[in-house]
Amino acid sequence: MQAPKKGNIFIISAASGTGKTTLVSHLLKNNADLRVSISHTTRPPREGEQNGVHYHFVPKAEFESLIAQQAFLEHANVFGNYYGTSIAGVNDLSAQGYDVILEIDVQGAEQVRQALPEACSIFILPPSLDILAGRLKGRGTDSEEVIHTRLAEARREIEQAAHFDYIVVNDDLDKAEADLLHIINARRLQKAAQQAFLAKLLENS
């Protein structure tokens, strides 16, 4: 049996409150050939989150041991908690033929772009900073001080959008999802991705 074609790597980043997680969830629900890499983190689980499903929740000492073992494709300290993407986890999904989404922040995205220059990077923008502020406040989970800090950080993150391959504005969820899928399909149809099929076609002609 022929081994499956190695999957593409897609980096998806956004400022907090932009709707990235909801967008990625919709993509995964509607496209069986996509998988999201499950990150490791040292932050405690939020209500409803499951270990191994939403994140791999690990103690700080274990995370730092994995850093020492160079087990992460990228890792970062965000608001006092570590987050990281396992090299083994990404390679395993890609080897099975799945296109892999790395749902990570801009710090992690920069590390992945350097390690995997062939990865496709996509930044999700809010329609405006005012709407972003309203979304953060609407969560009802953070204090005014925390919201102010997150908005300041969001502006710094949005400035990094210029370094990404594609930019999608999340004003309408269905349209933003369609835009993401167009990007993913375009990457699948690039010459490099289709090279194996082309060679096989010519070989059998």
Side-chain angles (χ1 to χ4, degrees), residues 107-176:
Q107 294 180 61
E110 174 60 24
Q111 293 177 54
V112 175
R113 283 199 300 268
Q114 291 184 17
L116 299 174
E118 71 276 14
C120 175
S121 59
I122 307 166
F123 198 91
I124 311 299
L125 286 177
S128 71
L129 290 178
D130 286 342
I131 289 175
L132 180 62
R135 288 175 179 174
L136 290 174
K137 291 175 182 176
R139 288 177 173 179
T141 58
D142 297 320
S143 67
E144 284 294 328
E145 183 180 356
V146 169
I147 290 172
H148 179 78
T149 300
R150 288 189 181 277
L151 283 173
E153 180 64 22
R155 179 180 286 276
R156 287 191 290 271
E157 290 174 331
I158 287 170
E159 289 172 353
Q160 300 302 309
H163 300 295
F164 286 69
D165 297 319
Y166 297 91
I167 294 174
V168 171
V169 178
N170 188 16
D171 192 5
D172 176 88
L173 181 61
D174 290 337
K175 183 180 183 304

Side-chain angles (χ1 to χ4, degrees), residues 34-200:
L34 289 173
R35 291 290 186 275
V36 66
S37 171
I38 301 173
S39 298
H40 286 63
T41 185
T42 58
R43 76 159 173 80
R46 294 171 183 153
E47 185 177 353
E49 288 183 331
Q50 300 176 41
N51 186 42
V53 176
H54 299 92
Y55 285 95
H56 296 295
F57 296 101
V58 298
K60 183 178 179 182
E62 182 178 342
F63 196 104
E64 291 177 339
S65 175
L66 290 169
I67 292 174
Q69 296 169 42
Q70 298 184 328
F72 292 119
L73 185 58
E74 60 81 28
H75 68 275
N77 190 310
V78 182
F79 298 116
N81 292 302
Y82 281 122
Y83 294 82
T85 300
S86 163
I87 294 173
V90 171
N91 287 344
D92 181 57
L93 290 171
S94 178
Q96 293 179 57
Y98 294 112
D99 287 333
V100 186
I101 293 175
L102 309 184
E103 188 186 337
I104 53 181
D105 66 11
V106 294
Q107 294 180 61
E110 174 60 24
Q111 293 177 54
V112 175
R113 283 199 300 268
Q114 291 184 17
L116 299 174
E118 71 276 14
C120 175
S121 59
I122 307 166
F123 198 91
I124 311 299
L125 286 177
S128 71
L129 290 178
D130 286 342
I131 289 175
L132 180 62
R135 288 175 179 174
L136 290 174
K137 291 175 182 176
R139 288 177 173 179
T141 58
D142 297 320
S143 67
E144 284 294 328
E145 183 180 356
V146 169
I147 290 172
H148 179 78
T149 300
R150 288 189 181 277
L151 283 173
E153 180 64 22
R155 179 180 286 276
R156 287 191 290 271
E157 290 174 331
I158 287 170
E159 289 172 353
Q160 300 302 309
H163 300 295
F164 286 69
D165 297 319
Y166 297 91
I167 294 174
V168 171
V169 178
N170 188 16
D171 192 5
D172 176 88
L173 181 61
D174 290 337
K175 183 180 183 304
E177 182 185 355
D179 288 343
L180 280 177
L181 198 54
H182 286 318
I183 294 167
I184 290 168
N185 285 331
R187 177 55 63 105
R188 290 170 174 170
L189 295 173
Q190 281 190 325
K191 180 178 70 175
Q194 296 288 73
Q195 199 67 42
F197 177 81
L198 175 62
K200 184 177 180 181

